[in-house]
Amino acid sequence: MDKFVIRGGRRLSGVVAAQGSKNACLPMMAAALLAEGVTTLRNVPRLADIETMADVLRSLGATAEWEGPHELAIDTTSVERYVAPYDVVRRMRASIAVLGPLLARFRRAEVSLPGGCAFGPRPVDLHIKAVKELGAKVDLRGGYIVAQAPALKGKRVNMTGPAGPSRGATANLMMAAALAEGVTVIENAAREPEVADLVNMLRAMGAQVDGGGSSEITVAGVEHLKPCEYEVMNDQIEAATYLIAGAITGGDVAVEGADAGYLSLFDERLAAAGVTVEAGGDGIRVRGSLPVAPLEIRTAPFPGFPTDLQPQMTALLSLASGRSVIVEGIYPDRFNHAPELGRLGAHVEVTPPTAVVNGVHRLYGAYVMASDLRAGAALVLAGLAAEGETNVRRIYHIDRGYERMEDKLMSLGASVERAQEE
Ligand code: UD1
């Protein structure tokens, strides 16, 4: 296993480019199953999660080949199986995105239940509800979702879950509805730009979908879809992580491809913390100075503050001049980073769904362990600001979502080395 060895305390400065969006790309790879032939995706990040989805597609009989550094060609001509097996699905929850497309194309799908994740239970009831509403019969058998639908029929479906709309279930429903009979209206659809990007890809495949980015998406089913070429949007969670790297080191960092529309609330919170934020041209630039001002943050579905940036903001606020309050509105237990930040000297008290962060003057390097992707990113950020050497272990979590993180940080002047864990 690899680890990062970070020598902290350097002020980062310079420009990095955002990678393609992992979370937009994963369901798009599944959407390729809706048509027979070669679909080409561009701006695809080179990440472990993308490889896992490619393996899911291969297990169904598709091929997935890199045609360029960030260009992935998916050939679905020979897809003949409709079973997504446990040994690939367990590696990544987002594999459940093949449920809707398989059902639409083969009228059958068997997808292993993904199980929990590091920050609490993550049910799949809304995914199952989505396909049932279109007429699928669904059983849970031997750890698998077994779905059958001789016919899929469009209808009005409300997708609200306990924590608001679900992105993944909205995507599955759209993909199944694209080849269903009649019109499906998705009420309380997820409004994330990643969902809107999938809508645009489905349109490029010939689907009749409207309303991407709004809370009502309408899908008029068609008989066939065609393969397409599509350029994936940029990864705003990755972009914001590097912006926080600038802020937490009192540096001056610009990220090309960071989108001020997507990140408007994030930018507003950073500015409220005293960071200078300039959006313009092709990206966002931050200039930071420590300590930052304390903040109140509540995570919520888009356009709310993204839960996927909560751990990284917690790292920044650990160096604030006072007491911050963070309420996790989506995953009440998503605070695995708190005790690890504590090893670096941060004061974070967690009473789910809330964390109170009492800012400290300094963090000090230590051995810490990444427990999931964004918690890992938070530890790297804290390590960049900490005095001395920080060893972040289990960085395979970070590699799931950040392409060449150490290279990007080093290009900004950080000292980050990938080494073997002893
Ligand atoms: C996506 C993102 C993930 C992010 C999350 C929330 C991808 C690949 N991943 O995950 O990085 O943290 O959105 O912004 O895009 N829920 C149910 N039942 C379901 C499905 C979800 O109750 O069947 C709940 C979840 O537990 C959660 C909320 O709905 O509280 C939102 O989850 P959802 O939008 O589905 O998250 P993902 O699409 O899995």
Side-chain angles (χ1 to χ4, degrees):
M1 276 194 281
D2 288 353
K3 65 175 182 177
F4 281 151
V5 182
I6 302 170
R7 274 168 285 275
R10 302 185 181 204
R11 207 179 143 267
L12 301 198
S13 74
V15 184
V16 287
Q19 70 188 24
S21 165
K22 168 178 85 75
N23 286 350
C25 190
L26 291 170
M28 288 178 184
M29 293 171 71
L33 291 167
L34 290 165
E36 198 176 316
V38 182
T39 285
T40 303
L41 296 173
R42 304 213 169 85
N43 199 31
V44 177
R46 300 297 288 253
L47 301 169
D49 273 9
I50 299 292
E51 295 298 342
T52 300
M53 187 58 98
D55 285 344
V56 173
L57 298 177
R58 291 179 190 122
S59 76
L60 299 167
T63 63
E65 304 280 350
W66 292 100
E67 305 262 287
H70 295 104
E71 188 170 314
L72 186 67
I74 298 165
D75 187 348
T76 63
T77 314
S78 308
V79 172
E80 63 215 350
R81 290 183 291 277
Y82 50 81
V83 182
Y86 174 68
D87 61 341
V88 274
V89 175
R90 74 180 166 78
R91 282 156 50 194
M92 184 183 66
R93 280 184 56 80
S95 317
I96 199 173
V98 298
L99 177 65
L102 285 177
L103 201 53
R105 183 139 163 231
F106 299 102
R107 307 290 155 179
R108 298 189 66 159
E110 294 186 17
V111 180
S112 172
L113 283 163
C117 77
F119 44 89
R122 288 175 74 179
V124 289
D125 55 312
L126 293 171
H127 297 257
I128 293 172
K129 172 185 165 175
V131 295
K132 271 189 171 168
E133 292 270 14
L134 297 191
K137 194 174 151 297
V138 181
D139 291 312
L140 297 181
R141 233 186 280 142
Y144 279 73
I145 302 166
V146 180
Q148 270 176 297
L152 289 170
K153 285 213 174 65
K155 66 180 288 199
R156 189 168 272 273
V157 183
N158 190 315
M159 276 283 86
T160 312
S166 157
R167 287 189 215 194
T170 301
N172 255 327
L173 181 52
M174 283 197 303
M175 294 189 283
L179 289 174
E181 235 175 75
V183 177
T184 300
V185 177
I186 309 175
E187 291 171 1
N188 280 306
R191 293 164 63 190
E192 271 76 9
E194 290 87 347
V195 175
D197 212 24
L198 176 62
V199 167
N200 290 335
M201 178 193 172
L202 292 172
R203 289 166 69 106
M205 296 177 82
Q208 293 187 11
V209 195
D210 287 300
S214 78
S215 55
E216 187 169 294
I217 295 177
T218 307
V219 189
V222 296
E223 288 211 350
H224 289 288
L225 293 174
K226 55 181 195 306
C228 72
E229 294 188 5
Y230 193 79
E231 180 158 336
V232 182
M233 65 180 275
N234 289 322
D235 195 321
Q236 299 306 314
I237 303 300
E238 189 229 13
T241 302
Y242 292 114
L243 293 172
I244 297 174
I248 203 170
T249 60
D252 181 349
V253 168
V255 180
E256 276 172 8
D259 174 358
Y262 188 117
L263 293 174
S264 66
L265 190 52
F266 168 78
D267 285 354
E268 184 272 318
R269 292 285 75 195
L270 265 194
V275 177
T276 305
V277 183
E278 272 170 35
D282 182 30
I284 298 176
R285 175 181 178 194
V286 298
R287 273 166 290 163
S289 64
L290 291 168
V292 292
L295 291 179
E296 291 191 2
I297 288 178
R298 182 187 187 90
T299 69
F302 191 85
F305 193 91
T307 174
D308 286 349
L309 287 174
Q310 179 266 111
Q312 301 91 312
M313 279 303 266
T314 305
L316 177 66
L317 293 174
S318 70
L319 288 167
S321 57
R323 179 174 181 269
S324 299
V325 178
I326 298 169
V327 180
E328 181 44 76
I330 299 188
Y331 300 115
D333 295 315
R334 187 176 199 169
F335 290 109
N336 284 331
H337 44 289
E340 297 298 305
L341 288 172
R343 293 177 55 76
L344 300 173
H347 288 178
V348 187
E349 282 164 35
V350 178
T351 316
T354 302
V356 173
V357 187
N358 285 302
V360 294
H361 289 299
R362 271 186 219 298
L363 298 173
Y364 299 94
Y367 271 77
V368 289
M369 193 173 85
S371 55
D372 63 72
L373 168 55
R374 308 301 170 187
L379 296 173
V380 170
L381 293 171
L384 292 172
E387 252 177 43
E389 190 177 281
T390 296
N391 285 254
V392 183
R393 300 174 50 222
R394 302 212 177 164
I395 57 169
Y396 62 86
H397 288 294
I398 296 174
D399 293 332
R400 291 183 59 173
Y402 292 89
E403 180 175 334
R404 302 184 299 103
M405 184 188 246
E406 69 276 35
D407 294 350
K408 282 193 175 177
L409 290 173
M410 285 196 299
S411 78
L412 296 172
S415 169
V416 182
E417 194 188 317
R418 184 181 287 264
Q420 290 265 306
E421 275 190 33
E422 55 279 345

